[in-house]
Amino acid sequence: MTDKNQENKRLFFGLDFSQENKAQIFNWLSHQVDDKRKPVLQSNLHLTLAFLPNVSPANELLLIEYAKSLTFSSFKLRFAETGYWPNTGIFFLKPCELVTPLNALATSIRNEGERLGIYQNPFDFHPHVTLKRNCKQQPEIKKAITPFEVEFKEFKLFHSTRVNSQLRYLPITSFKLRC
Ligand code: 2AM
């Protein structure tokens, strides 16, 4: 029998939203955005810091130790704008500005993933919250989202996996940011 814990995993570090923020985003998405494509699962809403595919159990432990050792400060992000990438069809929500601690946090984890030989991301860090994928054109927005601000006091390591054939992002561990 295969031990699931011993298999390589598709992981990523990310920022999670409260249930309240997820419901707020989803409510706006369901009522004010006109597009045939289904949105991502409400519970899956997050902002990716570093994508780490095919991680061995040994490397997972090293990543957790590394994340625990980080001492970045908490930060606030304001969300009011959306965007669309035609090449991937991703429709997303994005923070209004790239704040320094967010960039520093994402850069150090991405660098560590690279140093461990897990993944070298060919793209710069573009913070975004994916709302829909595979949109053939930019979804029509009937009414802009009511701007909101979130203070992020922690980041998480997620396991991207299928549960009952549905893609789910399951938090493995949380790491505190300095208040
Ligand atoms: P996303 O950030 O655009 O939503 C788990 O798969 C997460 O990692 C998803 O949030 C996903 O996209 C992001 N992701 C998937 N493949 C990626 C890749 N090749 N490079 C960077 N991020 C990726």
Side-chain angles (χ1 to χ4, degrees), residues 120-151:
Q120 184 168 10
N121 200 315
F123 305 109
D124 288 341
F125 176 55
H126 293 291
H128 67 281
V129 180
T130 296
L131 303 174
K132 286 173 186 261
R133 296 179 198 281
N134 304 314
C135 299
K136 291 211 168 59
Q137 56 195 26
Q138 172 131 30
E140 190 193 321
I141 300 166
K142 293 193 263 184
K143 184 171 177 271
I145 193 165
T146 305
F148 64 99
E149 194 176 69
V150 182
E151 181 168 17

Side-chain angles (χ1 to χ4, degrees), residues 10 12 46 48 51 90 119 121 128 130 133 160 169:
R10 186 180 179 91
F12 66 96
H46 72 280
T48 302
F51 173 63
I90 288 182
Y119 184 60
N121 200 315
H128 67 281
T130 296
R133 296 179 198 281
S160 169
Y169 301 146

Side-chain angles (χ1 to χ4, degrees), residues 45-69:
L45 287 169
H46 72 280
L47 189 153
T48 302
L49 296 166
F51 173 63
L52 299 155
N54 203 25
V55 178
S56 67
N59 272 343
E60 181 179 336
L61 292 178
L62 290 174
L63 286 169
I64 290 172
E65 283 313 306
Y66 179 76
K68 274 188 196 163
S69 75

Side-chain angles (χ1 to χ4, degrees), residues 10-16 45-47 155-160 169-173:
R10 186 180 179 91
L11 301 179
F12 66 96
F13 283 92
L15 300 177
D16 205 357
L45 287 169
H46 72 280
L47 189 153
F155 62 101
K156 295 181 183 176
L157 178 62
F158 291 91
H159 182 199
S160 169
Y169 301 146
L170 307 178
I172 297 176
T173 319

